[in-house]
Amino acid sequence: MLPKPQTTGRAKVSHAVVVIFLEFFAWGLLTTPMLTVLHETFPQHTFLMNGLIQGVKGLLSFLSAPLIGALSDVWGRKSFLLVTVFFTCAPIPLMRISPWWHFAMISVSGVFAVTFSVIFAYVADITEEHERSTAYGLVSATFAASLVTSPAIGAYLSANYGDSLVVLVATIIAVVDIAFVLLVVPESLPDKMRLMSWGSPISWEQADPFASLRRVGKDPTVLLICVTVFLSYLPEAGQYSSFFLYLRQVIEFSPATIAAFIAMVGILSIIAQTLLLTYFMRTIGNKNTVLLGLGFQLFQLAWYGFGSEPWMMWAAGTVAAMSSITFPAVSALVSRIAASDQQGCVQGMITGIRGLCNGLGPALYGFIFFLFNVELNELDPMTGRNKSTSQEPSETIPGPPFLFGACLVLLALLVAIFIPDHHSMAVKTYTDTEEDIEPLLQDSSM
């Protein structure tokens, strides 16, 4: 058995909330310094290199998520929560020590950077089925809440005291997060649902990241959910990896304006993922809430694709906040048809698909930006604006990446329409043969 620090008390959703908040608050502080360091490190083809870095990280997350999800089902959530938080935060102090090592560490940290997978499994362990959509919404809203003030604080500290202080503060917060998991967070998985020895075997079938993809077709509902997640998150991953660069380069937002934009979207996302998500789940149901979220996502991507004025970005950002209800609604939908001892695998599956998108999306968007000759030029260190630009405006508006994403979300919306409102319990009761014991949700790994 792996020795663990003793913690007292019962596992609560609040533990998951604190872990997520601290992790992403630390990274949110680095929003402005990250843009500067990224451009300084890769002055040529900044968007493309950003896409490749995030793409490698996402691909590694896809490869590792099923194994981590399966192991957490066997040995508990706490140990793997500690590992995922540590490796997700590990690149932070390297930003000032060595930018090259910082970006290299970001890429390889994808092996363990699947905190959301373990967190959602943690929440599933301690909530009843009817409570999960609200709990998932709270966790997702916490992610948004962590970004409400942290980019603005980071931008202020960077402008007045330099990037080194920002990195130091972010590192301290990351250490506090790790200590919180180690000393405060209790185990959520009951002892009776865990194997009592670390020597217990984990089959290659459980660890194989492509097993999910190969077995997707065994259950039509699972197939529809997986395709929906892939088509909707692929453009979201690409957008998230490059959007702040886009605001800075094309729309010419200053660092302060970018921080204010993130804060606005974060506040509205909190409202959407708590109050509105609960309301929609109760009034129109789980499936229709997913459809509504996809509709908002389609609208905001199309608006970003066609818009080129600052006010359009602010308006589209409002719609983007509303689209944030999609992921917690999908997570709740998936958890409803998974057995209680398979929640880690289920959330690992969703994390794996999203990890694949995190690999493909940024690389795809970076390549499209590259094709349309969109690059960061020399930036004014005080304002963050372009000193000069060598492209014509018509050549530097990267509408195609967002319009391409809108087309993918439209396909996701069409696929999601066919997800049944009530899934057959056959997903939980297949027992015909050992080799084909259950469809995807029962033995494979957001």
Side-chain angles (χ1 to χ4, degrees), residues 98-388:
S98 172
W100 279 96
W101 278 107
H102 169 73
F103 291 115
M105 188 63 183
I106 287 179
S107 297
V108 300
S109 70
V111 174
F112 294 105
V114 289
T115 305
F116 265 107
S117 170
V118 184
I119 281 291
F120 278 127
Y122 188 97
V123 170
D125 292 338
I126 58 178
T127 56
E128 299 296 331
E129 182 177 307
H130 67 278
E131 301 172 322
R132 283 183 195 148
S133 62
T134 301
Y136 288 158
L138 181 61
V139 172
S140 296
T142 300
F143 166 72
S146 68
L147 298 179
V148 169
T149 56
S150 57
I153 294 173
Y156 173 80
L157 293 177
S158 178
N160 290 276
Y161 303 101
D163 289 348
S164 296
L165 180 63
V166 182
V167 174
L168 176 61
V169 173
T171 301
I172 293 173
I173 293 174
V175 171
V176 170
D177 194 17
I178 294 169
F180 180 80
V181 176
L182 184 65
L183 302 175
V184 179
V185 173
E187 177 57 58
S188 65
L189 197 63
D191 288 340
K192 65 181 181 180
M193 296 174 64
R194 284 183 278 161
L195 300 181
M196 300 306 295
S197 171
W198 276 79
S200 301
I202 294 294
S203 69
W204 167 246
E205 184 72 6
Q206 291 174 291
D208 182 5
F210 298 98
S212 298
L213 304 182
R214 288 197 298 267
R215 296 193 307 274
V216 149
K218 292 186 177 181
D219 187 286
T221 299
V222 173
L223 175 61
L224 292 173
I225 292 175
C226 288
V227 172
T228 300
V229 170
F230 181 81
L231 292 175
S232 63
Y233 194 68
L234 184 65
E236 182 178 334
Q239 179 183 3
Y240 183 78
S241 70
S242 58
F243 190 63
F244 300 141
L245 286 174
Y246 166 73
L247 289 178
R248 188 164 174 170
Q249 163 69 7
V250 179
I251 309 302
E252 296 191 346
F253 275 17
S254 68
T257 305
I258 292 176
F261 179 89
I262 296 172
M264 181 207 71
V265 174
I267 292 172
L268 294 178
S269 295
I270 294 170
I271 297 173
Q273 294 173 10
T274 52
L275 301 179
L276 294 181
L277 176 65
T278 301
Y279 174 76
F280 289 141
M281 291 288 285
R282 291 177 178 174
T283 55
I284 64 177
N286 203 155
K287 173 188 171 180
N288 289 330
T289 302
V290 173
L291 294 176
L292 182 63
L294 291 173
F296 283 125
Q297 185 182 4
L298 172 62
F299 186 38
Q300 60 101 352
L301 281 170
W303 205 340
Y304 283 137
F306 288 111
S308 59
E309 297 296 326
W311 73 266
M312 295 181 180
M313 300 300 104
W314 288 94
T318 303
V319 181
M322 293 298 299
S323 72
S324 65
I325 65 175
T326 305
F327 178 52
V330 168
S331 295
L333 182 64
V334 172
S335 71
R336 285 168 45 197
I337 52 178
S340 60
D341 61 344
Q342 296 292 320
Q343 292 295 330
C345 285
V346 170
Q347 299 305 333
M349 176 200 69
I350 300 299
T351 298
I353 293 175
R354 286 165 64 92
L356 181 61
C357 293
N358 279 329
L360 297 177
L364 178 63
Y365 267 53
F367 182 67
I368 295 177
F369 279 125
F370 173 72
L371 285 180
F372 286 86
N373 201 30
V374 180
E375 292 298 337
L376 283 174
N377 300 294
E378 188 177 1
L379 299 174
D380 189 304
M382 299 300 296
T383 66
R385 295 180 182 273
N386 297 327
K387 287 184 176 179
S388 62

